Structures are given as structure tokens and as C-alpha cells.
Amino acid sequence: MGMSAEVRYQFYLFGMALLWGGGLCLAYDILRIFRRLIRHRGWIINGEDVLYWLAAAAVFYSLLFRYNQGEIRIFIVLGMIFGGVFYLLTISRVFVHLTVTLFTPLFRLFRRIRMAVFHIFRRRPSEK
């Protein structure tokens, strides 16, 4: 005697929630990497955070709506939390460190090229 189809589907939803929770944390890590590579002003960081949380809410809502007819189930919420915590405790620190380490020289090169181009085309004060 096996599990009922409903219980199997709930396990499937829990697995999806684990993946989505980890995926949301991965998306925020990509935002963190972007912030480390390119300087941001405070209000831009706040705007990025607002956009991230709106997107995260949309993902959560779509998971609930698409797979569970909009019903909020505690195992889905816990699955997203556990997936995010697992990602943060295992992969996050290494992923951010390695990515920043690999891309920092490239972004420094782009910054130098940009500064050289701006220096060439910069208007010089006219001599009197």
C-alpha cells in the first residue's frame, strides 16, 4: 500500500518550496554581488531591495496560486524558509566570495577603460 496521490503531491510541493526558497536567496546573492562590484548610492540600494521583495512576493504568490489553488499551507512556507536557510548555510558565502573574486579584475578593467574614454572626451577649459 503506497501513499495517496494527495500526500505525494504535498511532498512535491514541499520540494518545490525548498527549491524556490534557495532560488530566492540565490537571486539576492546575485544582487549582493552586483552591489559589491558596482558602487551604489543608498537610495538605489533601497529601490533594488523593494524590487527584490516585490519579485519575491510574486514568486511566492505564483507558487501558491499555480500549484495549490492559492491556499497557504504551512509546509510550503516552511519549505521556502528551510530551502533559503540551507542555501545560506551551505553555498551562499562561497558563491559570493568566488564570484566577486573572479569578476573584480574585469570590472576594474572596465572602470579604467571608462575613465580613459571620459578623460579623452572631457571638455577642457579654454585658455585665455
Side-chain angles (χ1 to χ4, degrees):
M1 179 157 179
M3 285 190 270
S4 70
E6 180 66 26
V7 173
R8 277 188 297 216
Y9 189 67
Q10 289 177 358
F11 273 116
Y12 171 75
L13 284 177
F14 184 73
M16 290 285 292
L18 286 170
L19 292 175
W20 280 104
L24 286 173
C25 287
L26 174 66
Y28 196 77
D29 273 353
I30 291 170
L31 187 60
R32 288 174 50 207
I33 291 166
F34 181 66
R35 289 176 182 168
R36 288 186 186 182
L37 294 173
I38 300 174
R39 294 182 188 135
H40 288 69
R41 295 177 189 241
W43 64 273
I44 293 176
I45 291 173
N46 293 337
E48 290 170 348
D49 280 342
V50 167
L51 291 175
Y52 169 80
W53 285 109
L54 287 173
V59 166
F60 183 70
Y61 175 75
S62 70
L63 179 67
L64 290 176
F65 187 74
R66 175 179 279 171
Y67 297 107
N68 207 33
Q69 292 78 37
E71 295 177 4
I72 297 177
R73 300 277 178 101
I74 192 67
F75 69 88
I76 294 175
V77 174
L78 290 176
M80 290 189 84
I81 291 170
F82 290 155
V85 168
F86 179 77
Y87 170 81
L88 290 173
L89 293 177
T90 57
I91 302 169
S92 178
R93 181 174 290 179
V94 174
F95 175 70
V96 171
H97 177 72
L98 286 177
T99 307
V100 168
T101 302
L102 289 173
F103 282 103
T104 296
L106 183 65
F107 275 81
R108 284 186 181 154
L109 177 66
F110 286 146
R111 193 176 303 132
R112 285 184 181 158
I113 292 171
R114 184 188 73 191
M115 295 306 289
V117 169
F118 285 151
H119 180 71
I120 291 171
F121 292 110
R122 185 177 65 189
R123 294 181 113 183
R124 300 187 189 205
S126 60
E127 298 180 14
K128 292 184 181 181

